[in-house]
Amino acid sequence: MPARDHVGHWGDESAEAALPGRRLSALAEQAARCTADCCGASSTVAEAGADRPAAVTHPDLAGLVAVQLRSGDGPIPAALERGEPVDSADLLHDERWPEYRALALDSGVRSSVTLPFRRSGLTVTLSLYSFRPGALEDARHGPVHALGEFAASCLVRDRSYRAALTELDHLGAALRSRPVVDQACGIVMHVLGCDADAAFGVLRRISQGTNRKLADVAAGVVNRRGRGLERDLAALLN
């Protein structure tokens, strides 16, 4: 499949496809398919203060990723630290990363390369594995580079999209609560004979003093129509 077709799959805008795990799975699967002599791939995404999702094309590779993330030692941590590709042409003779090396050889993996892709505080790693030594020397210059760059851009876009949805939810909640707050302000203005700014200040002080949401305080005032609240409201006016 041409590289542009692999990239095109990333244009899927469904909510399910936008999940980081699904993005990473698609990246790993497509990278493995378009790389000669590749027996499998894994991908991760690292972001400050967030979990580190990962995806693998074969269950045996999950252990290779886990041992690196747990120990902080291996091609993935090295690529994250350096910001450049990290490879091992033949793990049989490579004495770096003892835990990773032992587990890789036990799985039949002889060579690997890990490519990092950084975007806006987010780093995607793409690791390719082969049963043959020296088989992935040119992988970093192949179509997987374009796949990784595009994947990182998509994940940043997904993050922005989720942030926008959260902001819209907050805005929607504020808009839904506005009528009841306005109604409560009207009741407080009537009971205390004050203006709108003073009435809102009373509601806000009740909210802060009782650690309740402003909308909940307003709803309580509206439900009681201000009855029995005259003394308490007056004490908060000044």
Side-chain angles (χ1 to χ4, degrees):
M1 184 180 292
R4 64 176 179 273
D5 293 335
H6 289 293
V7 170
H9 177 78
W10 279 78
D12 188 342
E13 296 295 334
S14 69
E16 186 177 8
L19 295 173
R22 294 298 300 272
R23 292 291 196 198
L24 295 175
S25 293
L27 171 61
E29 293 285 351
Q30 293 161 19
R33 284 200 298 266
C34 69
T35 304
D37 294 316
C38 179
C39 66
S42 67
S43 57
T44 72
V45 58
E47 187 175 4
D51 293 334
R52 188 175 296 179
V56 296
T57 56
H58 190 279
D60 287 349
L61 299 177
L64 291 180
V65 175
V67 72
Q68 295 180 74
L69 299 185
R70 184 184 69 249
S71 67
D73 191 36
I76 294 175
L80 288 171
E81 180 181 355
R82 302 174 192 172
E84 59 187 29
V86 175
D87 60 11
S88 178
D90 191 350
L91 285 163
L92 188 62
H93 304 292
D94 193 334
E95 297 183 357
R96 297 174 293 176
W97 324 304
E99 285 189 82
Y100 167 77
R101 175 175 177 261
L103 192 58
L105 291 174
D106 188 56
S107 301
V109 172
R110 287 287 299 272
S111 60
S112 68
V113 59
T114 297
L115 313 176
F117 304 92
R118 289 180 174 171
R119 289 284 189 285
S120 304
L122 174 152
T123 303
V124 173
T125 67
L126 173 61
S127 299
L128 304 173
Y129 309 90
S130 177
F131 294 139
R132 295 177 51 205
L136 301 171
E137 293 179 351
D138 298 326
R140 70 180 70 183
H141 306 297
V144 295
H145 184 78
L147 287 171
E149 292 283 0
F150 192 63
S153 297
C154 284
L155 285 163
V156 169
R157 184 191 62 187
D158 294 342
R159 181 182 62 184
S160 299
Y161 178 66
R162 290 193 299 271
L165 287 180
T166 300
E167 186 176 349
L168 285 175
D169 286 342
H170 291 164
L171 179 60
L175 291 175
R176 289 191 296 272
S177 67
R178 181 61 184 267
V180 71
V181 172
D182 288 345
Q183 191 174 355
C185 281
I187 292 173
V188 173
M189 291 169 64
H190 175 75
V191 170
L192 300 182
C194 62
D195 61 21
D197 288 342
F200 183 78
V202 167
L203 294 177
R204 185 172 56 188
R205 283 194 287 275
I206 295 175
S207 172
Q208 294 171 344
T210 60
N211 198 28
R212 297 164 58 200
K213 292 181 179 179
L214 181 64
D216 294 338
V217 171
V221 172
V222 171
N223 290 338
R224 295 178 61 177
R225 298 293 190 272
R227 290 189 293 271
L229 297 175
E230 293 87 349
R231 183 178 301 175
D232 293 336
L233 292 175
L236 292 168
L237 183 58
N238 300 315

